[in-house]
Each structure stands twice: as structure tokens, then as C-alpha cells.
């Protein structure tokens, strides 16, 4: 078991949030790996330090200030919007580019029905949750609607900028020509983009429940549009998670790729911790099997071991298959990058 | 003391005093959460205010599926993150100077660490807390919030999933990454053994 794999589990292990199998694996690893032990010790120490930090006290006039503010707002017939910073054309360009150039996709199936899905259904389909998550986005889009629509209107095919034509973006005020372009097929190639720098697009904790590709894309574009901010670097892409019917996942990913450069694309099927832990165990046992098979003249005992290992592997593979089959939904992870023009 | 749920019912029946009670009950947590998110007391004040007003207005949509405090944390975090996005920039990490000034109310020089070996324990502890907030400010907002909710406010993974509106797997990986980043920051400052 690699340290890298264990370290992904250490934090959950410390909080008792790993399953039995994971806990066993971590425990066994810790017995012989001093580096990971130190990592865990430090994490515990840090938790203890953080727990000591006391809460702040809200200022004495805080409760009163809320009542006052609420009254003030009630007395205002038309609530004026707080003056924002003047919109900059360059920001608009950055924003629009961001809408176009999404995507680094990983797909992972959720845990078997009855575990995560039921938990997720319970919490994530709450009405207020949806309002809180998507409401502000839609509101902002509506309030900024005209400008965004002007430039976000091109047909989907035009979303991938054409390197040859250096197609202009509609109504952008400064009329900068975005070239060379990005080809969805070949992926994002840094060298072909001398005038663009990928920047961090802001994350949003959004979960889209849909089996409709078009709807998904509409929502992603809506999300990406207003929340792109400056700063960060290309290794800090942020992620949206889209839960879809498993059978629809491939189709939706295909559609998503049309939105922009699909690099780095991570098509690895990484099911849940449970599934990964099984994979790890299978791999471990297969190594043992190979080692035994490589030898000649096995003793009776060794032959038994070989048989047992093979049976274990078979059983674990079956369990993986079960997990796979009872996952009705897949989760698509979409990285959102912002590309802006260098000034 | 009346339960949050009872107070919410009273507010919905038109009893505004009940809302004041809710504010009094949760104000310090909300103010602290907003401070941890924004890294500045003035911003925290404004954001906590906004969150409380927003909560009042959407109280009818609180269905009691989570605890009231979890629901309130979620609103607070959304308000803070909205503000961060509105500014369209990352929060600029505060220098130690600013942090000390903000906490003490008057100017403190950076070389204060060299001042005296007999600096009293209280001061050291205070300094440690300021270093911690400084390290938090340097984390990306979602990591900062994950670590605050888990390690400083003691929320369960399920509660954090509700606050972030994401699944348990995401919470696990976010907390894991947040802790690794934070540990790195604290190690850089030689605060861990």
C-alpha cells in the first residue's frame, strides 16, 4: 500500500470516518511506516491546537444593529443595489472565456444505493438547499443578463474558438481578437496559447441533478459566468460535481467536452473509498499469487494459500461488481478554468 | 431556555422578540465563523449582520431537516463566499502587523517577537491564535471553511456536507486537503513539533 494512498485516508481515519476495511489498511500501514505515523501525529497535534482557539465575541451592539438594519430596509421602497465596482471589459472577456473553456472531467460512481445516495438524497434535495445554492447564481445572471447574453449567445459549435479564423467575440467592448484558439479535440495546449493564461475560476458548491445534457451545460455555463475571479494558477482549477444517471454519464461528458479544452481529462473510474480499498486489496493479493506462481514445487501449504488467495480475489471482484451494478448514478467532476487575456 | 425550533416557530407566528433571542444565542458563533472566513473584524461584522437578516427572511424555508445552527452556518458561509466573489479577488492575506493591530486596537510593531523573553504566556497564546488565523487566511476559502467547521467548530462530516451542499466523499477529501495545507503552513511557522 503506497503512502500516497494512505495519506488520502489519514484525515478521515483520525476522525473515525473510514470504513472497517480502510481502517485495517491504514492501521497495518502505520505499523511499519514512520513517515505516515509522523504525519498522523502532526495532524492530531494540529487539531488539538485548533480546538484551543477560542471563539470571538460579537460586538455588544451586534443584535441591535440587525434590528436597525432590518427596519431601515423595510422603510426603503426600492432597495438600491450597492454600488459595485465598474465593470471592466477585460473582466468580461475573462468571464466569457471562462464559460467556454471548462472541463477536466473525472467520473466516479457513487456508493451503492442505500448508503451515500440515500444520505445525499436526504440532504441535497432539500428545497432550501437548492434555493441557497442556485438562487444567488440565477439572480446574478438575471441582473447582469444583458451583457452576458450578448456575448454568450453564439451557438454551441462556436464555443470552441477557431484557431484559423480567430473569431471575434460578439459584443465585447474592446474588440480583442481571441487567437489562437483552443480545440476541444486536442486538449488544452499551453504552447498554443501565447496570449492566454489560465486562472482559477471560482468554485461553487453546486450539485446538479439531471439526466439531460443540455440542461447540465446550461447550468454549468450559468454557474461559470458570474463567478470567475482573478488569481490562482492552472493547477488550482475548481470543481463542480454533477450527479447524473449512470447510463447518461458518457453522453454528458461528450457534450461537456464540446464546451472547451478537455485537458487534463481524467477518465479514471474511481468508485468510492470502498471500491478503491477493494482494488488495493485485490492488487496486493494478486502480487502474492504471482510470487507463488513464479516458484516451482510448491508445498501443500503453499498450494492451499494460493487457492485461498484466488478465492479471496474472486470474492472481492464480485463485491466490486455488485458495487458497480447497484450504483445508479455517476458523479461527473468538472474543473472550471478561467482564461483571461494578458493585459 | 427555549429550543431553536420553538423560537423559529414563534418568529414565524410574528414574534420578533423570538428572533432577537435567536440572534443573541448564535451571534458569537456566527461572528466567529464570518471572521474566520473573511479574516477581518469589520467584514465579519457586516457579513454576520447580512447572514442574520438573510436567515430571518428565509426562515419560512427552514424545514428543520438540519439543526438551526447548521442552517445558519450555511447561510453565513454563502454570504461570505458571495462577498469574496463579488470582490473578484482573493482575500489578501493579512500581514502580522495588521492582525496584531486589529486584535489589540492599537499599533504593534512586527519586531515585537524579539522584544522580551519574559513575554507573558497570555501574550504568546494570543500570538499563536493570530498566527493560526493568518495561516487560515492564506488557504483557499473552501479549505479554510472545511478546517474551521471541522476542527474549530467541531461539526460532524454530515453537518459539513449540509453546510457545503456536497456529498460525504467531497467533505472527506476537502478536509483532508485542507488539513495537509494547513499543516504545511503551521510547519513553515514552526508551530508543530
Amino acid at each position: 500500500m503506497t503512502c500516497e494512498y494512505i495519506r488520502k485516508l489519514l484525515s478521515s481515519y483520525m476522525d473515525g470516518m473510514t470504513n472497517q476495511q480502510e481502517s485495517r489498511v491504514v492501521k497495518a500501514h502505520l505499523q511499519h511506516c514512520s513517515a505516515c505515523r509522523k504525519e498522523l501525529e502532526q495532524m492530531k497535534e494540529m487539531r488539538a491546537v485548533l480546538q484551543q482557539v477560542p471563539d470571538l465575541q460579537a460586538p455588544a451592539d451586534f443584535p441591535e444593529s440587525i434590528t436597525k438594519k432590518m427596519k431601515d430596509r423595510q422603510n426603503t421602497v426600492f432597495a438600491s443595489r450597492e454600488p459595485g465596482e465598474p465593470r471592466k471589459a477585460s473582466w468580461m472577456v475573462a468571464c466569457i472565456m471562462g464559460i467556454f473553456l471548462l472541463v477536466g472531467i473525472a467520473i466516479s460512481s457513487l456508493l451503492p444505493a442505500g448508503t451515500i445516495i440515500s444520505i445525499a438524497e436526504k440532504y441535497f434535495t432539500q428545497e432550501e438547499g437548492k434555493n441557497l445554492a442556485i438562487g444567488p447564481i440565477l439572480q446574478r445572471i438575471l441582473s447582469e443578463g444583458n451583457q452576458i447574453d450578448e456575448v454568450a449567445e453564439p451557438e454551441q459549435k462556436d464555443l470552441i474558438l477557431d484557431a484559423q479564423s480567430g473569431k471575434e467575440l460578439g459584443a465585447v467592448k474592446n474588440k480583442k481578437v481571441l487567437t489562437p484558439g483552443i480545440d476541444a479535440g486536442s486538449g488544452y495546449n499551453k504552447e498554443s496559447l501565447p496570449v492566454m493564461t489560465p486562472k482559477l475560476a471560482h468554485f461553487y458548491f453546486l450539485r446538479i441533478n439531471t439526466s439531460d445534457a443540455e440542461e447540465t451545460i446550461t447550468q454549468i455555463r450559468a454557474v461559470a459566468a458570474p463567478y470567475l475571479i482573478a488569481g490562482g494558477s492552472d493547477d488550482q482549477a475548481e470543481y463542480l460535481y454533477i450527479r447524473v444517471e449512470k447510463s447518461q454519464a458518457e453522453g454528458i461528458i461528450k457534450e461537456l467536452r464540446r464546451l472547451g479544452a478537455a485537458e487534463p481529462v481524467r477518465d479514471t473510474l474511481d468508485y468510492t473509498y470502498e471500491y478503491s480499498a477493494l482494488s488495493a486489496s485485490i492488487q496486493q493479493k494478486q502480487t502474492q499469487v504471482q510470487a507463488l506462481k513464479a516458484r516451482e514445487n510448491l508445498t501443500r501449504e503453499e498450494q492451499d494459500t494460493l487457492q485461498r488467495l484466488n478465492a479471496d480475489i474472486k470474492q472481492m471482484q464480485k463485491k466490486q461488481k455488485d458495487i458497480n451494478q447497484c450504483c445508479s448514478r455517476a458523479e461527473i467532476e468538472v474543473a472550471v478554468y478561467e482564461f483571461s487575456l494578458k493585459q | 431556555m427555549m429550543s431553536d425550533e420553538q423560537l423559529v416557530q414563534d418568529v414565524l407566528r410574528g414574534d420578533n422578540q423570538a428572533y432577537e433571542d435567536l440572534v443573541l444565542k448564535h451571534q458569537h458563533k456566527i461572528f466567529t465563523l464570518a471572521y474566520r472566513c473573511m479574516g477581518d473584524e469589520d467584514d465579519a461584522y457586516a457579513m454576520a449582520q447580512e447572514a442574520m437578516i438573510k436567515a430571518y427572511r428565509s426562515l419560512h424555508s427552514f424545514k428543520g431537516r438540519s439543526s438551526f445552527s447548521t442552517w445558519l452556518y450555511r447561510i453565513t458561509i454563502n454570504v461570505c463566499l458571495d462577498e469574496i466573489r463579488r470582490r473578484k479577488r482573493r482575500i489578501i492575506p493579512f500581514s502580522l502587523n495588521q492582525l496584531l493591530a486589529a486584535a489589540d486596537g492599537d499599533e504593534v510593531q512586527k519586531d515585537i517577537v524579539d522584544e522580551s523573553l519574559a513575554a507573558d504566556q497570555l501574550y504568546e497564546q494570543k500570538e499563536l491564535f493570530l498566527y493560526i488565523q493568518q495561516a487560515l487566511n492564506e488557504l483557499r476559502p473552501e479549505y479554510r471553511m472545511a478546517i474551521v467547521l471541522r476542527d474549530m467548530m467541531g461539526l460532524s462530516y454530515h453537518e459539513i456536507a449540509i453546510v457545503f451542499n456536497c456529498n460525504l466523499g467531497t467533505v472527506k477529501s476537502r478536509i483532508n486537503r485542507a488539513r495537509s495545507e494547513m499543516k504545511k503552513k503551521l510547519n513553515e511557522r514552526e508551530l508543530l513539533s
Side-chain angles (χ1 to χ4, degrees):
Chain A
M1 199 59 61
T2 63
C3 291
E4 195 189 352
Y5 174 77
I6 295 297
R7 290 195 183 181
K8 279 185 187 159
L9 294 175
L10 271 187
S11 155
S12 304
Y13 176 78
M14 180 173 81
D15 289 329
M17 291 300 291
T18 40
N19 63 31
Q20 270 185 345
Q21 171 112 12
E22 289 165 346
S23 302
R24 263 203 306 275
V25 171
V26 174
K27 223 170 178 174
H29 179 88
L30 288 175
Q31 275 175 354
H32 64 79
C33 178
S34 59
C36 286
R37 270 204 309 274
K38 167 128 203 245
E39 183 81 10
L40 180 64
E41 282 314 309
Q42 280 209 332
M43 226 183 254
K44 282 183 179 168
E45 188 190 346
M46 183 178 76
R47 182 175 62 180
V49 170
L50 291 173
Q51 280 168 347
Q52 280 176 32
V53 182
D55 282 354
L56 275 75
Q57 295 288 305
D61 68 343
F62 182 69
E64 202 184 309
S65 76
I66 291 171
T67 323
K68 189 175 173 298
K69 205 163 185 177
M70 285 205 285
K71 276 186 187 148
D72 287 351
R73 287 192 188 174
Q74 268 169 5
N75 294 335
T76 314
V77 181
F78 296 105
S80 62
R81 279 183 62 186
E82 283 174 16
E85 286 172 28
R87 190 184 306 285
K88 289 178 190 152
S90 61
W91 179 82
M92 283 302 293
V93 176
C95 170
I96 296 147
M97 293 304 295
I99 307 169
F100 298 156
L101 304 168
L102 294 168
V103 193
I105 301 162
I107 169 172
S108 64
S109 293
L110 294 176
L111 274 174
T115 51
I116 282 288
I117 288 177
S118 66
I119 296 164
E121 298 288 10
K122 191 171 154 201
Y123 291 125
F124 302 135
T125 54
Q126 287 183 28
E127 206 182 322
E128 72 263 36
K130 202 174 173 193
N131 288 342
L132 277 171
I134 300 177
I137 302 174
L138 296 180
Q139 209 175 1
R140 197 166 293 207
I141 286 172
L142 287 175
S143 67
E144 297 178 352
N146 288 338
Q147 284 113 320
I148 287 175
D149 281 346
E150 269 177 352
V151 285
E153 199 49 46
E155 284 175 29
Q156 198 143 311
K157 279 177 190 164
D158 294 334
L159 293 179
I160 299 148
L161 298 173
D162 189 326
Q164 274 76 42
S165 69
K167 190 175 164 56
E168 277 188 20
L169 275 178
V172 181
K173 282 179 195 158
N174 60 3
K175 295 273 182 193
K176 277 184 179 166
V177 177
L178 301 172
T179 182
I182 287 166
D183 172 48
S186 63
Y188 161 53
N189 178 352
K190 274 185 184 169
E191 285 178 10
S192 72
L193 291 169
V195 294
M196 294 181 191
T197 12
K199 284 186 175 177
L200 172 70
H202 207 80
F203 67 94
Y204 202 77
F205 305 118
L206 177 85
R207 188 161 296 279
I208 304 167
N209 272 305
T210 175
S211 56
D212 183 66
E214 207 173 314
E215 167 71 12
T216 306
I217 288 164
T218 310
Q219 292 220 34
I220 289 178
R221 289 175 62 191
V223 171
Y227 286 114
L228 300 170
I229 58 167
S233 66
D234 59 346
D235 62 356
Q236 287 180 306
E238 295 290 353
Y239 297 94
L240 300 171
Y241 297 92
I242 309 162
R243 289 172 69 216
V244 297
E245 290 298 323
K246 205 169 154 190
S247 56
Q248 304 269 350
E250 280 306 316
I252 288 180
I253 288 176
K254 207 169 151 194
E255 288 296 313
L256 285 172
R257 288 218 179 99
R258 296 173 60 196
L259 276 176
E263 183 72 29
V265 176
R266 291 190 290 132
D267 274 335
T268 48
L269 213 55
D270 177 24
Y271 297 85
T272 74
Y273 286 118
E274 194 183 356
Y275 192 96
S276 311
L278 280 170
S279 297
S281 301
I282 290 173
Q283 207 184 348
Q284 198 183 14
K285 284 183 194 287
Q286 274 169 344
T287 317
Q288 290 173 16
V289 167
Q290 274 164 10
L292 281 173
K293 275 186 177 169
R295 287 168 46 190
E296 288 169 12
N297 304 325
L298 294 180
T299 63
R300 179 73 189 267
E301 213 172 287
E302 284 168 337
Q303 279 172 357
D304 286 350
T305 312
L306 189 63
Q307 218 172 355
R308 207 184 52 245
L309 283 170
N310 278 324
D312 285 352
I313 290 172
K314 221 169 166 183
Q315 203 187 352
M316 285 190 285
Q317 280 170 337
K318 189 180 172 297
K319 205 168 173 194
Q320 277 192 326
K321 210 171 156 192
D322 290 346
I323 292 177
N324 192 359
Q325 273 173 358
C326 66
C327 288
S328 60
R329 298 221 177 157
E331 188 165 275
I332 301 174
E333 191 181 82
V334 181
V336 182
Y337 292 88
E338 173 188 5
F339 287 79
S340 64
L341 292 175
K342 267 188 184 161
Q343 296 301 305
Chain B
M1 192 184 263
M2 278 168 88
S3 73
D4 286 345
E5 286 67 27
Q6 186 58 52
L7 287 169
V8 169
Q9 289 310 316
D10 288 353
V11 180
L12 291 174
R13 275 195 291 271
D15 177 2
N16 280 341
Q17 178 57 42
Y19 196 67
E20 282 186 44
D21 291 346
L22 279 171
V23 171
L24 282 171
K25 210 168 157 181
H26 295 281
Q27 57 171 338
H28 302 307
K29 282 272 178 219
I30 295 305
F31 181 72
T32 304
L33 181 58
Y35 174 74
R36 302 269 176 250
C37 194
M38 305 302 292
D40 172 77
E41 290 200 31
D42 289 340
D43 283 344
Y45 189 86
M47 292 305 109
Q49 226 179 20
E50 200 56 40
M52 286 296 195
I53 293 171
K54 210 164 197 170
Y56 177 79
R57 288 186 178 154
S58 12
L59 210 58
H60 59 276
S61 69
F62 173 67
K63 300 281 191 291
R65 292 189 192 110
S66 66
S67 71
F68 179 74
S69 57
T70 305
W71 185 73
L72 207 51
Y73 296 158
R74 177 166 161 167
I75 293 178
T76 309
I77 283 186
N78 280 334
V79 166
C80 292
L81 293 178
D82 271 351
E83 177 61 18
I84 293 173
R85 287 179 199 116
R86 199 186 68 78
R87 293 176 186 181
K88 300 185 193 84
R89 61 173 171 80
R90 303 179 139 227
I91 289 192
I92 298 160
F94 283 70
S95 74
L96 182 61
N97 256 355
Q98 282 170 297
L99 275 167
L100 289 171
D104 292 340
D106 49 43
E107 206 61 40
V108 182
Q109 290 305 306
K110 209 171 193 172
D111 62 3
I112 198 135
V113 279
D114 302 323
E115 223 176 41
S116 159
L117 290 172
D120 81 275
Q121 219 176 354
L122 198 71
Y123 180 81
E124 277 176 25
Q125 200 182 34
K126 204 170 174 186
E127 196 182 28
L128 171 71
F129 297 155
L130 291 169
Y131 272 124
I132 288 171
Q133 183 62 41
Q134 189 190 27
L136 279 173
N137 289 345
E138 288 169 14
L139 296 182
R140 293 155 62 185
E142 78 272 37
Y143 290 171
R144 194 186 317 151
M145 287 299 89
I147 215 158
V148 167
L149 291 171
R150 178 63 201 155
D151 287 339
M152 300 176 90
M153 299 180 77
L155 264 68
S156 73
Y157 280 58
H158 282 121
E159 286 168 327
I160 296 171
I162 297 170
V163 172
F164 282 163
N165 193 20
C166 64
N167 70 25
L168 217 50
T170 308
V171 173
K172 283 182 186 177
S173 69
R174 195 162 282 165
I175 291 174
N176 185 42
R177 281 152 128 185
R179 279 173 170 162
S180 301
E181 291 285 317
M182 186 69 177
K183 201 163 67 60
K184 221 183 282 170
K185 305 269 176 215
L186 297 185
N187 271 329
E188 280 164 15
R189 293 169 171 80
E190 298 179 350
L191 292 175
L192 295 176
S193 56

